């Protein structure tokens, strides 16, 4: 089967840097995406890695290594508003699934 | 540009009933996907519609079905509701060709089955 594993919860303080990992077992995919979801809200797109390496978007960066079956989301200069759940997701190259989402990581930012 | 809208936002049903949820994608988006979100299972892909055809399908029983209209609006139907169907149902729309592969999610319909 195909699965993406994430830590269930991460806690950090304001201003810090935090890394949320995503390890996967999947036969093949076009790219790795990251989404943010605040409590009671809809998931919103953060980043996409089609190729190995680092993608930077403001305070957020995302990394993919296909050889290591691993990716991560890096959040810098943490703010209270970053407290949310974060999901990685892949769109497989085969099978009938359009997207497979990771288990999700709840990030708590402390003052 | 208006975002993805879903109706109704909240729904309470009893076991055995059926329910229809509606999703209006962002104007110009022809792909609509549906997801079930529960605390235990996370975000699970149900199906995707594109140009009124089901293009992808997740691993859900046949009680879950959907359709898409010519204006790209989509509905999903769940028949013979079970307690385990209680969840947040999200739809997401996307452009067919997007270099960032971005999906835009609606606010969801929270379904409670009693």
């Amino acid at each position: 089967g195909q699965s993406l594993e994430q830590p269930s919860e991460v806690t950090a303080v304001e201003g810090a840097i935090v890394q949320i990992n995503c390890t996967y077992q999947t036969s093949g995919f076009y790219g790795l995406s990251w989404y943010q979801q605040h409590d009671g809200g809809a998931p919103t797109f953060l980043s996409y890695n089609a190729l190995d390496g680092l993608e930077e978007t403001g305070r957020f960066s995302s990394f993919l290594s296909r050889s290591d079956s691993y990716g991560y989301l890096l959040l810098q200069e943490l703010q209270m508003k970053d407290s949310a759940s974060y999901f990685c997701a892949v769109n497989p190259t085969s099978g009938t699934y359009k997207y497979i989402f990771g288990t999700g990581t709840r990030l708590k930012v402390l003052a | 540009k208006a975002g993805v809208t879903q109706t109704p936002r909240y729904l309470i049903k009893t076991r055995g009933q059926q329910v229809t949820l509606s999703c209006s994608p962002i104007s110009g988006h022809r792909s609509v996907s549906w997801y079930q979100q529960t605390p235990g299972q996370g975000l699970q892909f149900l199906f995707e519609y594109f140009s009124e055809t089901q293009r992808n399908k997740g691993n859900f029983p046949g009680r879950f079905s959907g359709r898409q209209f010519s204006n790209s609006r989509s509905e999903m139907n769940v028949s013979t509701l079970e307690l385990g169907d209680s969840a947040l149902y999200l739809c997401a729309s996307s452009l067919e060709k997007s270099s960032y592969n971005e999906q835009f999610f609606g606010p969801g319909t929270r379904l409670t089955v009693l």
Side-chain angles (χ1 to χ4, degrees):
Chain A
Q2 304 183 77
S3 65
L4 293 88
E5 296 295 325
Q6 301 178 236
S8 59
E9 193 169 296
V10 173
T11 302
V13 297
E14 247 185 325
I17 299 173
V18 72
Q19 179 173 313
I20 298 174
N21 297 325
C22 173
T23 56
Y24 56 85
Q25 291 183 354
T26 178
S27 54
F29 58 92
Y30 293 107
L32 180 72
S33 303
W34 287 91
Y35 285 82
Q36 178 193 62
Q37 185 178 28
H38 287 99
D39 284 347
T44 55
F45 173 83
L46 290 176
S47 69
Y48 177 68
N49 291 70
L51 303 174
D52 281 10
L54 192 68
E55 292 284 341
E56 296 179 84
T57 311
R59 294 188 297 116
F60 294 177
S61 303
S62 57
F63 175 82
L64 174 62
S65 170
R66 290 177 186 264
S67 59
D68 295 323
S69 298
Y70 165 71
Y72 66 72
L73 178 71
L74 191 73
L75 297 85
Q76 303 181 73
E77 300 172 18
L78 279 176
Q79 302 174 10
M80 298 295 289
K81 66 179 182 179
D82 297 330
S83 293
S85 293
Y86 293 83
F87 296 89
C88 58
V90 297
N91 44 330
T93 55
S94 63
T96 64
Y97 279 69
K98 181 175 174 71
Y99 282 100
I100 299 173
F101 275 79
T103 50
T105 299
R106 191 172 188 85
L107 172 63
K108 291 184 181 178
V109 180
L110 306 176
Chain B
K1 192 183 256 191
V4 178
T5 59
Q6 293 187 245
T7 56
R9 293 293 312 278
Y10 302 90
L11 207 48
I12 299 176
K13 292 285 188 179
T14 56
R15 279 180 299 176
Q17 287 187 308
Q18 75 165 14
V19 66
T20 299
L21 312 181
S22 181
C23 171
S24 291
I26 291 173
S27 178
H29 287 192
R30 294 160 64 191
S31 168
V32 174
S33 298
W34 288 90
Y35 295 86
Q36 181 194 67
Q37 187 173 30
T38 58
Q41 297 296 317
L43 270 159
Q44 300 284 315
F45 171 73
L46 279 154
F47 29 66
E48 182 212 8
Y49 284 86
F50 180 82
S51 292
E52 302 178 65
T53 302
Q54 189 180 87
R55 191 161 68 168
N56 288 287
K57 188 178 189 309
N59 189 27
F60 278 80
R63 300 186 296 109
F64 292 81
S65 63
R67 59 178 176 168
Q68 187 180 34
F69 302 95
S70 58
N71 62 357
S72 294
R73 189 177 71 85
S74 178
E75 289 181 347
M76 70 164 278
N77 183 276
V78 188
S79 62
T80 321
L81 283 166
E82 301 177 358
L83 295 179
D85 297 333
S86 293
L88 179 67
Y89 289 88
L90 293 159
C91 82
S93 73
S94 61
L95 286 169
E96 171 63 354
K97 286 181 168 48
S98 166
S99 58
Y100 294 107
N101 206 40
E102 180 177 0
Q103 293 187 99
F104 295 83
F105 282 84
T109 295
R110 185 161 295 281
L111 171 66
T112 302
V113 182
L114 303 176

